[in-house]
Amino acid sequence: MYLYHYYDRRSGPFKSLTALSEAKALEVLEKIKSDRPDSFTAQRDAEYVSRRMNCERIVREEAMKKGILMDSPSPHYLVVEDSPWLGTWFEKPGVIKIPVDEFDTRKISFTYGDSMPTFSPRVTDGKEYRRKVYTFEEILDVIARYGLPQEWNDDGSKGPERYIEAQVWTDEPIMKYATGENR
């Protein structure tokens, strides 16, 4: 298994709005809107930052309940296996691919689908993986039952889950890959 990180080459990999203060994150979002108007991020409204930070708080709390070890207050966001759709989010896309065996999997939590719709009160379809955070062992079981969302829902027509999000709560081995693309 591999974890993938998609990013805009102009910014570089492993940048996260949630690692910033809310005020600074809003400044960065506004700069992205003006500098990169065709990017997915530029389409986000002003409420996005507070919703994202709230979602991350929930994920952190749920991950702690599962015993996920955290070296960092804000995770690095990656996805399980390749999701070409994520490359379309950026005007100048880049991608980094890291073998999962390079990680201490006790420091990774997972959501089946992006964490935002996973924990959104607007998504009310009752699927068993809504509002849940998984450990590495647990997500393997979920994948065995449902497969990878990008294989059965790449176009998003069957719901909001289009990939499995991995929240990496450490800089190891992330920093080894932080200089750019390795794919």
Side-chain angles (χ1 to χ4, degrees), residues 3-155:
L3 299 184
Y4 286 71
H5 176 71
Y6 297 84
Y7 63 98
D8 189 294
R9 291 175 190 270
R10 292 167 290 185
S11 301
F14 302 109
K15 307 285 192 244
S16 176
L17 290 174
T18 58
L20 306 171
S21 70
E22 189 166 346
K24 182 65 177 166
L26 287 167
E27 285 177 32
V28 170
L29 182 59
E30 288 308 311
K31 182 143 179 59
I32 289 169
K33 287 180 177 193
S34 67
D35 294 351
R36 304 169 190 176
D38 295 326
S39 70
F40 186 82
T41 303
Q43 311 314 308
R44 293 179 169 144
D45 64 24
E47 311 307 309
Y48 171 78
V49 171
S50 63
R51 286 193 318 269
R52 179 82 238 173
M53 288 182 167
N54 183 58
C55 178
E56 187 172 291
R57 179 189 56 75
I58 293 167
V59 170
R60 183 183 315 103
E61 289 170 1
E62 293 301 311
M64 289 173 71
K65 289 178 190 175
K66 293 279 186 160
I68 301 296
L69 303 175
M70 297 179 186
D71 298 340
S72 173
S74 183
H76 297 285
Y77 290 95
L78 293 87
V79 299
V80 174
E81 299 302 346
D82 192 21
S83 176
W85 175 69
L86 286 174
T88 69
W89 285 21
F90 305 99
E91 292 176 0
K92 296 187 184 274
V95 64
I96 294 174
K97 174 182 173 182
I98 307 173
V100 76
D101 61 5
E102 288 193 34
F103 292 92
D104 178 347
T105 56
R106 299 173 303 164
K107 297 179 180 185
I108 308 173
S109 56
F110 299 86
T111 51
Y112 193 82
D114 187 279
S115 57
M116 292 284 285
T118 294
F119 286 97
S120 173
R122 295 185 303 209
V123 179
T124 59
D125 57 19
K127 292 181 179 175
E128 77 162 288
Y129 44 77
R130 297 285 180 244
R131 294 162 189 66
K132 289 188 182 172
V133 167
Y134 296 100
T135 65
F136 178 69
E137 293 76 16
E138 291 170 333
I139 201 65
L140 293 176
D141 180 55
V142 175
I143 293 168
R145 284 185 281 138
Y146 296 104
L148 295 172
Q150 58 266 47
E151 292 176 353
W152 59 266
N153 193 35
D154 190 50
D155 66 357

